[in-house]
Amino acid sequence: MLAPRKKLWSTPTSCIEAASRFINLQPNDVFYDVGCGDGRVIIHIASRLSRRSRGDNEYDQKTENEGKSNEQSRIRMVGIEIDPDRAREAMNNVEAAYVEKRIPDFVDIEIRCANALEVEDYREATVAFLYLVPRGLKMIKPLLLSGANQSKDVQKNAMLRVVTYMAGFQDETAIAMERCKVDHQEGAAW
């Protein structure tokens, strides 16, 4: 188990906002949320990509300037969840977000009910979000790094960007850190 606990804690909105600033998804990124739960991280980050809700044309300008077609400039997001009920909940939440037009049409989201330790295609990931216990981070790290950006479909020289919540990778130095106030744990700042 990557995140053994009796009570499931969903990622707080304040932490998702901080993660989204670090992640800064770009055209052709492939984002993985390992242990996606109800899909809130994927939905929240995807909804922030909307040109209208962001109030700028940054995404439009990048794709136009690079001369890429809409099909080539998509962002893929993949949620991995081991619990079938949570995976189904995430799928339903993603579907509702599409229907409500909270997710832009250039974002493709897939939720997989799978054991994250058995996923074989992390090599396509350019970005990963992890809310795992230290033991889980230790177990997933070699899987993420072993195939990091070796897919022929990933931009050449793209670096795998990883954002963690609550704990970092052992023996790695964070490029940036931000403490977030969480509503469900008074006085805590993770």
Side-chain angles (χ1 to χ4, degrees):
M1 266 314 213
L2 296 176
R5 54 189 175 261
K6 291 183 181 180
K7 180 169 178 144
L8 294 174
W9 292 98
S10 295
T11 308
T13 304
S14 62
C15 298
I16 299 170
E17 286 291 340
S20 115
R21 287 190 297 277
F22 288 133
I23 289 168
N24 188 26
L25 289 178
Q26 300 297 315
N28 301 313
D29 265 333
V30 180
F31 172 86
Y32 271 71
D33 180 1
V34 178
C36 72
D38 62 6
R40 74 181 55 214
V41 171
I42 285 178
I43 293 167
H44 192 96
I45 291 173
S47 71
R48 295 302 185 260
L49 295 170
S50 170
R51 290 171 270 246
R52 289 185 192 107
S53 70
R54 285 178 55 183
D56 66 21
N57 292 326
E58 181 181 328
Y59 184 89
D60 288 329
Q61 289 168 353
K62 276 189 187 252
T63 56
E64 284 175 23
N65 292 341
E66 294 172 6
K68 295 179 179 177
S69 72
N70 185 35
E71 200 54 43
Q72 293 173 313
S73 300
R74 302 188 70 74
I75 292 176
R76 260 188 76 226
M77 302 180 92
V78 180
I80 308 294
E81 177 55 50
I82 195 168
D83 182 275
D85 293 332
R86 296 281 281 175
R88 196 168 16 268
E89 180 182 12
M91 288 178 208
N92 291 338
N93 290 340
V94 166
E95 185 176 318
Y98 273 118
V99 168
E100 295 163 5
K101 305 230 183 273
R102 290 186 286 147
I103 299 173
D105 60 0
F106 58 85
V107 177
D108 298 315
I109 299 176
E110 172 189 1
I111 303 296
R112 297 182 194 166
C113 184
N115 181 336
L117 297 174
E118 296 172 359
V119 171
E120 295 180 5
D121 64 353
Y122 289 118
R123 69 186 173 281
E124 68 181 355
T126 58
V127 183
F129 177 79
L130 308 168
Y131 177 7
L132 306 173
V133 297
R135 179 176 166 261
L137 288 170
K138 186 176 181 179
M139 293 168 73
I140 201 75
K141 181 180 174 182
L143 297 175
L144 286 173
L145 298 181
S146 69
N149 300 325
Q150 291 179 12
S151 172
K152 64 181 178 192
D153 298 329
V154 174
Q155 299 168 1
K156 189 174 182 173
N157 299 324
M159 178 175 63
L160 175 63
R161 300 168 338 254
V162 179
V163 175
T164 65
Y165 170 56
M166 295 272 292
F169 282 133
Q170 194 173 8
D171 302 325
E172 297 289 342
T173 303
I175 293 172
M177 289 181 78
E178 183 172 328
R179 298 234 182 253
C180 300
K181 184 180 181 303
V182 293
D183 294 332
H184 69 276
Q185 292 177 318
E186 194 172 315
W190 300 104

